[in-house]
Amino acid sequence: MKLLMFKASQPRDQTSNFHFICTGLLYVLSVQSFASGIHADSIFDAYGTPQKPEIQERPNDFRSFKPGAKDGPQTYEPTFGGLDRGLLGRATPSGSRDLTFNVPASSSINGNEFQYWTLPFVLSSRTLNAASPLDHTEQPDGFHELLKREIKIYITLSLCDQPSPRNSSNPQKGAPPALELYISRDRQNTRPSEGSADFTVTITNGFGNSNFSASDDVYFSVGASLSPDFVGNYTYELTASMGGYYALFNSTNNTLILDSDSNSTLLASDLPENPSSEEWTKWMDGTPPYSIFVYNQDDPAVLGIQNSLCGLKKHAQAQSNLVTGIITPSKGRAMQYFHVQGLNASTNYYSIIAIDGKFTNTIDGGVGAAVMVYNPSNFTTRSDMNCAIIRNLSFCTDTAYAVPYNPNLKLDNVALAKKYDERANMLYQNFNRSLQQIPCNTPHEAAYSLVRNCTDCAAAYKAWLCAVTIPRCQDFSSSEVFQPRSLAYPTWNDTAATPNVSDIKTLSARNMSARNPWIDQEIKPGPWKE
């Protein structure tokens, strides 16, 4: 729109009235020019004389047919020469709902049904920051060039719930049919399907994502066919974001199985690299970055949603008996540990590590992965009852595994750990007094070694002492090759006979008792393997 200037020829005492009239005329003409697309140059000639404008008819400026309606009623859709539809927004198609960037949209849907969503292309500072850079070459109409800017859009779909087997007493093997997600960037195709979509997103184990560029509204169809063997609805979350995916599935395995006993397991995961000081402080203060989900491998409810965080939250085993924290071993990098309790003996489980918005970086007004689910790991709980996990020892700080145990002691994990830790610490004091007799701070010329010092010696002895004082326990019934221990002692419950060893002649005196006699005298676990 051009600025119009007039030269007044009125007497000075009528200047105020003339300015008022000119201002009103200028406003009316400006609005008319803006709304109809007429340039100001066509309103006045070279001498400033008003001219009758020639209005060129535009058949679709004020009226358009509703898409798909052959003889249906016409609907009003205004267009303005000065503004592009991408800035003004467009009416959401009938039967569709709007998506908002970085906000998961949740919905439930029946089988054999489709739901429709629209992502309006609305220009804002956030949108422009997330878009690809413009070519800064001078254009005749830079404003319209701005409106043509494309942005990268990231789409994720997570399945939160799914139909269950119709016959609960004899459930079907396998998961119900997966959800389907179709995407269109064509405003004439607001309900994309398998044959008409620009993009088809594959949903695997309850999760799927895709990315593409767009400069206009985007349309989505979500649905699924339903097998007669299943009954119920699907519940899902559909999220559009800029700068990165809102959610991700990571196919790598980020879980280390440290050990298990008959009713718990101890897991660990490497922490995200290069955290900020604020993140590290937050983790150490009791808010570590990862969540964990554990579920029975025979549970059909989780099958088909194990890659989706909202699905795991709903169907994975309750985490009321979970203890987690940060392990900082004497060697190696720090890890987050998970002590999952309340499990069943001799049972196969899956464990899944996930990030739930606790380690997020924003990118140009968008988001980094606020949600990430890792590939499952599997473990099996022990069958015998005389091994128990201990952790967080004050002296033997690197000890975190199952140790010989007698359930008759009725000690929880904390009390059992303290009992072992105090024993190791007491034995260490004799060595510590002997080490103090050594001139550790002697000059290099008189030192015993230039490679190791007294600190190294103390650490090595402590590691050895903790290992032999607190041995690692395995089920005596295990078929794996471990050393049998305490064969000369009765079982912990005094009801079962002494285990039958097929070839007693191959065993020696070291198999008749624990390496540390204190275990047989104080803990009394009965036969076990080390």
Side-chain angles (χ1 to χ4, degrees), residues 3-60:
L3 178 64
L4 305 182
M5 301 183 65
F6 297 87
K7 183 176 180 180
S9 59
Q10 300 295 326
R12 295 181 63 86
D13 58 350
Q14 299 180 8
T15 300
S16 298
N17 293 334
F18 179 71
H19 283 175
F20 176 79
I21 294 173
C22 288
T23 301
L25 178 61
L26 176 59
Y27 174 78
V28 171
L29 294 177
S30 300
V31 171
Q32 176 67 17
S33 170
F34 187 66
S36 63
I38 303 172
H39 291 287
D41 290 340
S42 64
I43 299 178
F44 298 91
D45 63 13
Y47 302 98
T49 305
Q51 301 292 315
K52 181 179 180 180
E54 295 181 3
I55 302 178
Q56 183 177 358
E57 291 292 334
R58 296 183 183 180
N60 294 320

Side-chain angles (χ1 to χ4, degrees), residues 261 264 339 341 388-391 411-418:
D261 57 30
S264 70
H339 189 189
Q341 305 174 71
I389 289 176
I390 61 173
R391 56 178 174 78
L411 298 175
D412 60 17
N413 299 90
V414 175
L416 182 62
K418 182 179 179 181

